[in-house]
Amino acid sequence: MKKLMLTMLSVVGMMLFVALPAKACTSYYVGKDCTKDGTTMYGRTEDYSPKKDKVYKVIQPKKVGKNATFKDETGATTFQAPIKVETTYRYTICRDSEGAEDGYFGEFGTNTKGVSMSATTSSSVAKTVGKFDPYIDAYESKVGGITEENLTDYVLCQASSAREGVELLADVIDTVGAGEGDGLFIADQNEVWYFEILTGHNYCAIKMPSDKAAIIPNCFVIGDVDLSDKANVVASPNLVKLAKNNGFYVAAQDGKGDINVKLSYSGKGYAAHNADRIRGGQYLLSGQDNTGIYDADYQDPFFTCKNVTVEKMYELAGYRYEGMNFGRNISYRIGSRRTAEAHIFQINSSMPTELATVQWFSMASPDYSTFVPFYGALLTDVSKAYKTEAQQPNSRAAYWIFRNIGYLCEETNDGDGPNRENYGKGVKQFYKAYMTKMEELQKNVNAQMLNVYKNDKKNLEYYATKLGIAIGNETMDFAKAMYMDIQTCKTNGTKYETSSLSADDIEYDLSMVTAPAKKADDTKPVTPAKSSAPARVQVRAKALKGKKVKVSLKKTAEAKGYEIVYSTNVNFTKKTTKKISTKNLTKTIKKLKKKKTYYIKARAYKLDGKTKVYGRWSLIRKVTIKK
């Protein structure tokens, strides 16, 4: 990885942190026979820097014509290679913001053909190997090799299947070369491939098995391969020849294959920081503590496990080895405050291609963030917060909203300390409940979207996009409310508890989406349980001197008025109701009792004739009166 090392910025009210090395990403894979619902899951944490903001956006198709050339449009590298389609495919991508000085670095995405990709876990071959086929420097050479900066964009803009994506990447390494060593995944509805870029012109890719799982940190792990098995292995033409001619060849350990790739190209054993992550991930998913990983010259990367869920994969992405005893300090955990984003792809092979892959991901560290689901193959746009470009802290950007919660819950470089107990424990408790609820709701959403596919397919992209924007916005509402609650607790010197936020408040189904406008020549579109109520209102509440609270609302489209309710009981068994007009969106509640905690919520309404139609209640705000 050629990213520049970054010094950490100071966030207002926060301490400075020291930058750490970039090579701490962790990839993971779970075959469909190992999951509870029979879906395949794979993904990665990008462990690099808590400052390295990310955006999630849609790259629109572009007509490039015949014999077009892909060029790094950021100018960060000199890489260029052929584009084999005349019009590129639309795709979603999570990558660095536009102003990043070292390029885009696309981390994951899905294109309209249902091809998904996760890149990369950086690695490198043994020093004695690299000199025989060095990397083609993409930052200095006139014509550089492909690197993490370009990988995802280059493949997703033109691959129509996972196999084609593997072959595109293989071809470009054969002809142009690679600028670095990497491990990455390319998948579609039917298969997942793991691809290791070893040297400047050598690589190996294998089709992943359905009955195994794997944890892959920053090291090469592909072992014995049979190069004649073309259905399951794609390798560079000189993979064996280079190793044999230069004295680093190691035969397949099973006596059947042509080469053991790991032992040949990266040597014996695993560095401790990589072995720790393999051990930790295997323990969380299987319950087996693989202490032998430290002593092994080589271990097959695959292991068995059962009943893995999305929630479990979310836990894996933020896992800090809770419940394990390593007997020493750990430098690199799977879950880290340095994580810029984490993701999994959940693939259901029984669904249509457009709906088969659900992209779950979190901005910033999933230790204090949450996975959010999107149908990446169908999106034409995303929530504004997720695509907001902001290299500095910004309350409107999804990355920084989640990152700032992390800062409040951390005190040291490794994230330990009193704040992890005082604030972080409540955050993790809420997001665990959030993920349980979201995974269950996704099953219902899949059924709803399948109904749209069967009865109103021309509007499938519309529903997926509007739903993605809605759940993105709702997730931001929860995160903002949480951040303000923690700030209040910090001011009051109290622990953060989630009593003012409940996973039961999650709304996630097609009732969030207004049916598309009907054209004159249209048949009637499918309208999935649409509500005509106004949108959920956003609320802020601040305690004032004199036993008062100032309540502020954000204007809601179509609202004709608002209703505010407050109570000393979170269940609002005894409550007081106040009305507020659209002309003045603030209300000061007076004559409250000191040393009492008040819970406040609001809703908007519009008129259907003379009847008031109310929207959903806002998230609950909690305010304590001190004086």
mmCIF file of all heavy atoms in Angstrom, residues 313-334:
data_model
loop_
_atom_site.group_PDB
_atom_site.id
_atom_site.type_symbol
_atom_site.label_atom_id
_atom_site.label_comp_id
_atom_site.label_asym_id
_atom_site.label_seq_id
_atom_site.Cartn_x
_atom_site.Cartn_y
_atom_site.Cartn_z
ATOM 1 N N MET A 313 -20.995 -11.356 11.934
ATOM 2 C CA MET A 313 -19.961 -10.752 11.083
ATOM 3 C C MET A 313 -19.715 -9.301 11.478
ATOM 4 O O MET A 313 -18.577 -8.800 11.412
ATOM 5 C CB MET A 313 -20.358 -10.855 9.613
ATOM 6 C CG MET A 313 -20.449 -12.281 9.097
ATOM 7 S SD MET A 313 -18.879 -13.175 9.178
ATOM 8 C CE MET A 313 -18.007 -12.449 7.790
ATOM 9 N N TYR A 314 -20.767 -8.613 11.882
ATOM 10 C CA TYR A 314 -20.627 -7.253 12.403
ATOM 11 C C TYR A 314 -19.778 -7.273 13.672
ATOM 12 O O TYR A 314 -18.884 -6.435 13.859
ATOM 13 C CB TYR A 314 -22.014 -6.675 12.680
ATOM 14 C CG TYR A 314 -22.008 -5.450 13.566
ATOM 15 C CD1 TYR A 314 -21.529 -4.229 13.097
ATOM 16 C CD2 TYR A 314 -22.496 -5.508 14.864
ATOM 17 C CE1 TYR A 314 -21.524 -3.101 13.909
ATOM 18 C CE2 TYR A 314 -22.503 -4.398 15.685
ATOM 19 C CZ TYR A 314 -22.017 -3.194 15.203
ATOM 20 O OH TYR A 314 -22.014 -2.092 16.010
ATOM 21 N N GLU A 315 -20.046 -8.237 14.544
ATOM 22 C CA GLU A 315 -19.252 -8.379 15.763
ATOM 23 C C GLU A 315 -17.787 -8.663 15.413
ATOM 24 O O GLU A 315 -16.868 -8.133 16.042
ATOM 25 C CB GLU A 315 -19.821 -9.509 16.628
ATOM 26 C CG GLU A 315 -19.118 -9.677 17.970
ATOM 27 C CD GLU A 315 -19.684 -10.831 18.786
ATOM 28 O OE1 GLU A 315 -20.710 -11.422 18.387
ATOM 29 O OE2 GLU A 315 -19.070 -11.165 19.821
ATOM 30 N N LEU A 316 -17.565 -9.495 14.394
ATOM 31 C CA LEU A 316 -16.207 -9.816 13.954
ATOM 32 C C LEU A 316 -15.469 -8.559 13.497
ATOM 33 O O LEU A 316 -14.303 -8.351 13.831
ATOM 34 C CB LEU A 316 -16.255 -10.839 12.817
ATOM 35 C CG LEU A 316 -14.925 -11.175 12.130
ATOM 36 C CD1 LEU A 316 -13.999 -11.913 13.093
ATOM 37 C CD2 LEU A 316 -15.165 -12.008 10.873
ATOM 38 N N ALA A 317 -16.145 -7.711 12.725
ATOM 39 C CA ALA A 317 -15.508 -6.515 12.186
ATOM 40 C C ALA A 317 -15.058 -5.547 13.286
ATOM 41 O O ALA A 317 -14.112 -4.775 13.089
ATOM 42 C CB ALA A 317 -16.465 -5.802 11.225
ATOM 43 N N GLY A 318 -15.714 -5.585 14.436
ATOM 44 C CA GLY A 318 -15.327 -4.723 15.547
ATOM 45 C C GLY A 318 -14.687 -5.485 16.699
ATOM 46 O O GLY A 318 -14.519 -4.936 17.792
ATOM 47 N N TYR A 319 -14.285 -6.732 16.455
ATOM 48 C CA TYR A 319 -13.840 -7.626 17.534
ATOM 49 C C TYR A 319 -12.484 -7.211 18.092
ATOM 50 O O TYR A 319 -11.511 -7.031 17.359
ATOM 51 C CB TYR A 319 -13.758 -9.053 17.002
ATOM 52 C CG TYR A 319 -13.553 -10.115 18.045
ATOM 53 C CD1 TYR A 319 -14.212 -10.084 19.272
ATOM 54 C CD2 TYR A 319 -12.694 -11.193 17.801
ATOM 55 C CE1 TYR A 319 -14.023 -11.086 20.223
ATOM 56 C CE2 TYR A 319 -12.508 -12.202 18.730
ATOM 57 C CZ TYR A 319 -13.179 -12.128 19.941
ATOM 58 O OH TYR A 319 -12.999 -13.120 20.873
ATOM 59 N N ARG A 320 -12.434 -7.073 19.407
ATOM 60 C CA ARG A 320 -11.203 -6.699 20.099
ATOM 61 C C ARG A 320 -10.741 -7.819 21.035
ATOM 62 O O ARG A 320 -10.067 -7.588 22.025
ATOM 63 C CB ARG A 320 -11.424 -5.401 20.871
ATOM 64 C CG ARG A 320 -11.759 -4.217 19.957
ATOM 65 C CD ARG A 320 -12.154 -2.987 20.759
ATOM 66 N NE ARG A 320 -11.090 -2.553 21.641
ATOM 67 C CZ ARG A 320 -10.065 -1.791 21.286
ATOM 68 N NH1 ARG A 320 -9.973 -1.356 20.033
ATOM 69 N NH2 ARG A 320 -9.157 -1.440 22.156
ATOM 70 N N TYR A 321 -11.151 -9.031 20.700
ATOM 71 C CA TYR A 321 -10.752 -10.243 21.416
ATOM 72 C C TYR A 321 -11.319 -10.312 22.840
ATOM 73 O O TYR A 321 -10.696 -10.859 23.745
ATOM 74 C CB TYR A 321 -9.228 -10.388 21.452
ATOM 75 C CG TYR A 321 -8.574 -10.223 20.099
ATOM 76 C CD1 TYR A 321 -7.320 -9.631 19.980
ATOM 77 C CD2 TYR A 321 -9.219 -10.625 18.939
ATOM 78 C CE1 TYR A 321 -6.721 -9.465 18.746
ATOM 79 C CE2 TYR A 321 -8.628 -10.467 17.695
ATOM 80 C CZ TYR A 321 -7.391 -9.878 17.600
ATOM 81 O OH TYR A 321 -6.815 -9.707 16.381
ATOM 82 N N GLU A 322 -12.527 -9.755 22.996
ATOM 83 C CA GLU A 322 -13.224 -9.915 24.262
ATOM 84 C C GLU A 322 -13.421 -11.407 24.540
ATOM 85 O O GLU A 322 -13.804 -12.166 23.664
ATOM 86 C CB GLU A 322 -14.579 -9.206 24.226
ATOM 87 C CG GLU A 322 -14.518 -7.696 24.113
ATOM 88 C CD GLU A 322 -14.455 -7.166 22.693
ATOM 89 O OE1 GLU A 322 -14.226 -7.967 21.759
ATOM 90 O OE2 GLU A 322 -14.618 -5.942 22.509
ATOM 91 N N GLY A 323 -13.140 -11.816 25.763
ATOM 92 C CA GLY A 323 -13.295 -13.221 26.131
ATOM 93 C C GLY A 323 -12.087 -14.075 25.836
ATOM 94 O O GLY A 323 -12.095 -15.285 26.104
ATOM 95 N N MET A 324 -11.031 -13.479 25.269
ATOM 96 C CA MET A 324 -9.816 -14.224 24.978
ATOM 97 C C MET A 324 -8.674 -13.725 25.877
ATOM 98 O O MET A 324 -8.677 -12.578 26.326
ATOM 99 C CB MET A 324 -9.412 -14.079 23.505
ATOM 100 C CG MET A 324 -10.429 -14.621 22.526
ATOM 101 S SD MET A 324 -9.812 -14.573 20.822
ATOM 102 C CE MET A 324 -8.559 -15.875 20.859
ATOM 103 N N ASN A 325 -7.686 -14.576 26.089
ATOM 104 C CA ASN A 325 -6.525 -14.203 26.888
ATOM 105 C C ASN A 325 -5.266 -14.532 26.094
ATOM 106 O O ASN A 325 -4.897 -15.693 25.943
ATOM 107 C CB ASN A 325 -6.529 -14.945 28.226
ATOM 108 C CG ASN A 325 -5.338 -14.551 29.098
ATOM 109 O OD1 ASN A 325 -4.630 -13.586 28.798
ATOM 110 N ND2 ASN A 325 -5.116 -15.305 30.169
ATOM 111 N N PHE A 326 -4.591 -13.497 25.603
ATOM 112 C CA PHE A 326 -3.378 -13.702 24.821
ATOM 113 C C PHE A 326 -2.131 -13.709 25.696
ATOM 114 O O PHE A 326 -1.049 -14.062 25.243
ATOM 115 C CB PHE A 326 -3.257 -12.608 23.752
ATOM 116 C CG PHE A 326 -4.167 -12.801 22.575
ATOM 117 C CD1 PHE A 326 -5.517 -12.532 22.668
ATOM 118 C CD2 PHE A 326 -3.670 -13.262 21.374
ATOM 119 C CE1 PHE A 326 -6.363 -12.705 21.579
ATOM 120 C CE2 PHE A 326 -4.505 -13.452 20.281
ATOM 121 C CZ PHE A 326 -5.856 -13.178 20.387
ATOM 122 N N GLY A 327 -2.262 -13.258 26.937
ATOM 123 C CA GLY A 327 -1.125 -13.260 27.851
ATOM 124 C C GLY A 327 -0.084 -12.210 27.541
ATOM 125 O O GLY A 327 1.044 -12.266 28.047
ATOM 126 N N ARG A 328 -0.410 -11.239 26.712
ATOM 127 C CA ARG A 328 0.532 -10.167 26.354
ATOM 128 C C ARG A 328 -0.250 -9.038 25.698
ATOM 129 O O ARG A 328 -1.445 -9.181 25.390
ATOM 130 C CB ARG A 328 1.593 -10.688 25.376
ATOM 131 C CG ARG A 328 0.999 -11.297 24.122
ATOM 132 C CD ARG A 328 2.071 -11.832 23.188
ATOM 133 N NE ARG A 328 1.505 -12.652 22.136
ATOM 134 C CZ ARG A 328 0.916 -12.181 21.035
ATOM 135 N NH1 ARG A 328 0.834 -10.875 20.835
ATOM 136 N NH2 ARG A 328 0.416 -13.008 20.124
ATOM 137 N N ASN A 329 0.406 -7.931 25.490
ATOM 138 C CA ASN A 329 -0.237 -6.815 24.803
ATOM 139 C C ASN A 329 -0.395 -7.144 23.323
ATOM 140 O O ASN A 329 0.473 -7.765 22.711
ATOM 141 C CB ASN A 329 0.602 -5.542 24.946
ATOM 142 C CG ASN A 329 0.600 -5.007 26.364
ATOM 143 O OD1 ASN A 329 -0.378 -5.180 27.091
ATOM 144 N ND2 ASN A 329 1.692 -4.367 26.753
ATOM 145 N N ILE A 330 -1.515 -6.722 22.755
ATOM 146 C CA ILE A 330 -1.815 -6.986 21.356
ATOM 147 C C ILE A 330 -1.711 -5.682 20.563
ATOM 148 O O ILE A 330 -2.361 -4.687 20.898
ATOM 149 C CB ILE A 330 -3.237 -7.568 21.199
ATOM 150 C CG1 ILE A 330 -3.378 -8.853 22.013
ATOM 151 C CG2 ILE A 330 -3.563 -7.812 19.732
ATOM 152 C CD1 ILE A 330 -2.476 -9.976 21.586
ATOM 153 N N SER A 331 -0.882 -5.681 19.527
ATOM 154 C CA SER A 331 -0.691 -4.470 18.717
ATOM 155 C C SER A 331 -1.822 -4.252 17.726
ATOM 156 O O SER A 331 -2.255 -3.123 17.491
ATOM 157 C CB SER A 331 0.639 -4.554 17.959
ATOM 158 O OG SER A 331 1.721 -4.646 18.851
ATOM 159 N N TYR A 332 -2.307 -5.343 17.123
ATOM 160 C CA TYR A 332 -3.313 -5.220 16.081
ATOM 161 C C TYR A 332 -4.497 -6.132 16.377
ATOM 162 O O TYR A 332 -4.362 -7.347 16.430
ATOM 163 C CB TYR A 332 -2.724 -5.587 14.713
ATOM 164 C CG TYR A 332 -1.627 -4.665 14.275
ATOM 165 C CD1 TYR A 332 -0.298 -5.034 14.404
ATOM 166 C CD2 TYR A 332 -1.924 -3.417 13.736
ATOM 167 C CE1 TYR A 332 0.723 -4.184 14.016
ATOM 168 C CE2 TYR A 332 -0.913 -2.557 13.343
ATOM 169 C CZ TYR A 332 0.408 -2.940 13.484
ATOM 170 O OH TYR A 332 1.402 -2.093 13.099
ATOM 171 N N ARG A 333 -5.634 -5.533 16.569
ATOM 172 C CA ARG A 333 -6.866 -6.285 16.722
ATOM 173 C C ARG A 333 -7.656 -6.187 15.420
ATOM 174 O O ARG A 333 -7.404 -5.306 14.608
ATOM 175 C CB ARG A 333 -7.698 -5.722 17.878
ATOM 176 C CG ARG A 333 -7.017 -5.791 19.254
ATOM 177 C CD ARG A 333 -7.899 -5.077 20.276
ATOM 178 N NE ARG A 333 -7.410 -5.240 21.640
ATOM 179 C CZ ARG A 333 -6.585 -4.393 22.249
ATOM 180 N NH1 ARG A 333 -6.157 -3.329 21.585
ATOM 181 N NH2 ARG A 333 -6.205 -4.598 23.486
ATOM 182 N N ILE A 334 -8.637 -7.061 15.244
ATOM 183 C CA ILE A 334 -9.500 -6.940 14.061
ATOM 184 C C ILE A 334 -10.304 -5.654 14.155
ATOM 185 O O ILE A 334 -10.401 -4.886 13.200
ATOM 186 C CB ILE A 334 -10.427 -8.173 13.948
ATOM 187 C CG1 ILE A 334 -9.595 -9.433 13.711
ATOM 188 C CG2 ILE A 334 -11.434 -7.974 12.803
ATOM 189 C CD1 ILE A 334 -10.399 -10.713 13.757
#
